[in-house]
Amino acid sequence: MNILILGSGGREHAFALKIADSKLTDKLYVAPGNSGTQEIATNIPININDFEQVKKKSLELGISMIIVGPEDPLVNGIHDFFAKDKETNSITIIGPKQNAASLEGSKDFAKKFLVRHKIPTARYATFTRENIKEGFKFLKTLTPPYVLKADGLAAGKGVLIIDSFDEAKSQLTEMLVGEKFGIASSKVVIEEFLDGIELSCFVLTDGVNYKVLPTAKDYKRIGEGDTGLNTGGMGAVSPVPFANKTLLNKIEQNIIIPTIEGLKKDNIEYQGFIFIGLINVNNNPKVIEYNVRMGDPETEVVLPRIQNDFVEIFQSFKNKTLDKIELNIDHRSAATVVLVSGGYPSSYNKGIKITGIDHVVDSTVYHAGAIREKENIYTNGGRVLAITSFGNNFQQALKNSYNSASKINFKGKYYRKDLGFDL
Ligand code: AMP
Ligand code: GLY
């Protein structure tokens, strides 16, 4: 069958490599794609949030399955758009419909879901500009630091963690009244700070059955020692070494099963990935967020460890037979190191020539913000490449990726050299 992947990051390159490998794939397209996907698929230069355009291309190319990489087309309702239309309703969409995507698109929706289904999460309350004074009162009931979250999508920037009460009050005002994150902060979730170590778990569901995928931990801050601004992610490891059987069992019993059952009880159809962000507080995992897609760069360590035919997995969604599939997981560790443009996540230059990718032999180089022009590859974004390696433990996997990272060069290249420091 012909398959279309939507997105242009390292995540989509990782999906493309898996899908290109499947015996069930005839032609593979990626929209808009990058220099990495271009090597194994055909890139389609369209706006993936313009659903009419995606539909037109899909019909033209005889697409039978669309894998949605990032969250915004899902939150904007791409699945509903294709399902409602007679010309496109036979195309399998990997990613949930709009109401389910609210688990990521609205923090308030996600918190209500968590509380309704008794899934462990931080204590919270939601405020608008109308009841901002109540918000100030609620802040008083919490101990610092204060966690303020814009309700809507804010490109990963909508969460503020603030030490002082006065600053929290003033930021709450900025968000609700000053529209700091535009419409996304017209509602703000304030929640209790959870002190612990973060990890992510990934679940694939056809709406009836689910499979738990390998865990991962990403590193969001730009600076070593987890300092400085938040980024999309500077690297990741899988599995998470402290996620032992007992913890994984707690996560499945207290979080994953109630999530899948909660979706059913609420009559929310869901097919696709659920990415659950967790904080482990004294061995009690609590949910900090749901994402309705895979993570980036987590995908670049989780997917390489899954040895199954991904098209076969996705095809099982049609008849809801995911339970018939047995996952075949590589038990080695995988680690990815993200090379970014100097200046990222603030301003940075694009169009800088990248050399040395061909010298890498022991790792997979996933392209992200990278573009090909004739014979050369140039930077085209903040996160440029993600370098994934295997090892018998995460230290060895990281060492292999760092070794490969040193072979690749572009002016302004930066990467964190301390990944795994906290494990
Ligand atoms: P989110 O977008 O909800 O995942 O939040 C972004 C980041 O903020 C998370 O990865 C955590 O590092 C941090 N965070 C969010 N909520 C909390 C919380 N309740 N307590 C401590 N840290 C949090
Ligand atoms: N790496 C975090 C995310 O994809 O949201």
Side-chain angles (χ1 to χ4, degrees), residues 301-320:
V301 289
V302 171
L303 254 52
R305 295 189 57 223
I306 305 173
Q307 294 164 335
N308 297 62
D309 181 324
F310 265 79
V311 181
E312 201 176 302
I313 297 181
F314 292 150
Q315 262 188 333
S316 76
F317 285 16
K318 230 178 186 139
N319 297 317
K320 310 217 182 288

Side-chain angles (χ1 to χ4, degrees), residues 78-86 88-89 91 93 97:
I78 193 165
H79 192 149
D80 311 64
F81 178 93
F82 272 71
K84 269 198 285 223
D85 189 321
K86 278 204 293 291
T88 54
N89 64 8
I91 300 177
I93 309 286
K97 287 192 176 162

Side-chain angles (χ1 to χ4, degrees), residues 29 35 180 192 204 225 244 280 298 369 392 416:
Y29 300 91
S35 47
K180 183 176 175 119
E192 163 200 22
L204 189 59
N244 55 27
N280 189 28
E298 292 90 333
N392 288 325
R416 272 182 64 171

Side-chain angles (χ1 to χ4, degrees), residues 126-140:
T126 302
F127 301 94
T128 60
R129 65 196 294 170
E130 277 70 48
N131 64 352
I132 189 168
K133 289 214 171 85
E134 302 292 314
F136 299 153
K137 275 192 210 152
F138 184 71
L139 281 173
K140 279 228 165 84

Side-chain angles (χ1 to χ4, degrees), residues 104-329:
E104 176 162 3
S106 164
K107 299 270 188 204
D108 179 55
F109 180 90
K111 291 299 279 193
K112 284 192 177 122
F113 178 89
L114 288 161
V115 171
R116 184 162 62 244
H117 299 294
K118 303 190 173 55
I119 301 168
T121 190
R123 184 163 75 88
Y124 87 106
T126 302
F127 301 94
T128 60
R129 65 196 294 170
E130 277 70 48
N131 64 352
I132 189 168
K133 289 214 171 85
E134 302 292 314
F136 299 153
K137 275 192 210 152
F138 184 71
L139 281 173
K140 279 228 165 84
T141 70
L142 299 169
T143 41
Y146 304 95
V147 183
L148 270 50
K149 300 185 172 184
D151 177 57
L153 292 182
K157 297 190 173 72
V159 175
L160 305 180
I161 297 180
I162 301 164
D163 288 323
S164 100
F165 176 78
D166 288 340
E167 180 61 15
K169 239 177 111 176
S170 111
Q171 285 298 332
L172 182 62
T173 311
E174 279 280 300
M175 288 168 95
L176 290 175
V177 184
E179 298 179 352
K180 183 176 175 119
F181 300 105
I183 187 151
S185 65
S186 59
K187 268 191 206 168
V188 171
V189 167
I190 303 180
E191 67 180 35
E192 163 200 22
F193 180 81
L194 299 176
D195 200 2
I197 186 158
E198 280 182 55
L199 75 155
S200 300
C201 80
F202 303 92
V203 180
L204 189 59
T205 180
D206 59 11
V208 176
N209 311 287
Y210 70 90
K211 293 279 171 190
V212 183
L213 308 182
T215 55
K217 185 177 193 318
D218 84 331
Y219 290 83
K220 287 206 177 78
R221 303 292 198 93
I222 188 71
E224 292 180 1
D226 282 343
T227 54
L229 295 175
N230 258 327
T231 70
M234 297 296 291
V237 298
S238 174
V240 178
F242 62 83
N244 55 27
K245 271 216 166 89
T246 320
L247 183 62
L248 290 177
N249 190 44
K250 264 189 197 164
I251 293 173
E252 184 159 7
Q253 295 304 320
N254 303 347
I255 292 168
I256 296 174
I257 294 175
T259 299
I260 300 291
E261 291 307 314
L263 289 167
K264 289 183 199 165
K265 277 185 204 148
D266 292 352
N267 279 321
I268 301 177
E269 238 183 273
Y270 199 114
Q271 69 177 40
F273 293 93
I274 314 176
F275 159 177
I276 312 178
L278 303 166
I279 296 191
N280 189 28
V281 186
N282 301 322
N283 274 320
N284 290 312
K286 299 190 180 190
V287 175
I288 45 170
E289 65 167 344
Y290 284 115
N291 294 306
V292 297
R293 50 168 176 92
M294 281 299 289
D296 192 348
E298 292 90 333
T299 303
E300 292 94 299
V301 289
V302 171
L303 254 52
R305 295 189 57 223
I306 305 173
Q307 294 164 335
N308 297 62
D309 181 324
F310 265 79
V311 181
E312 201 176 302
I313 297 181
F314 292 150
Q315 262 188 333
S316 76
F317 285 16
K318 230 178 186 139
N319 297 317
K320 310 217 182 288
T321 52
L322 182 61
D323 57 325
K324 302 283 182 300
I325 288 180
E326 199 172 323
L327 290 184
N328 189 6
I329 308 292

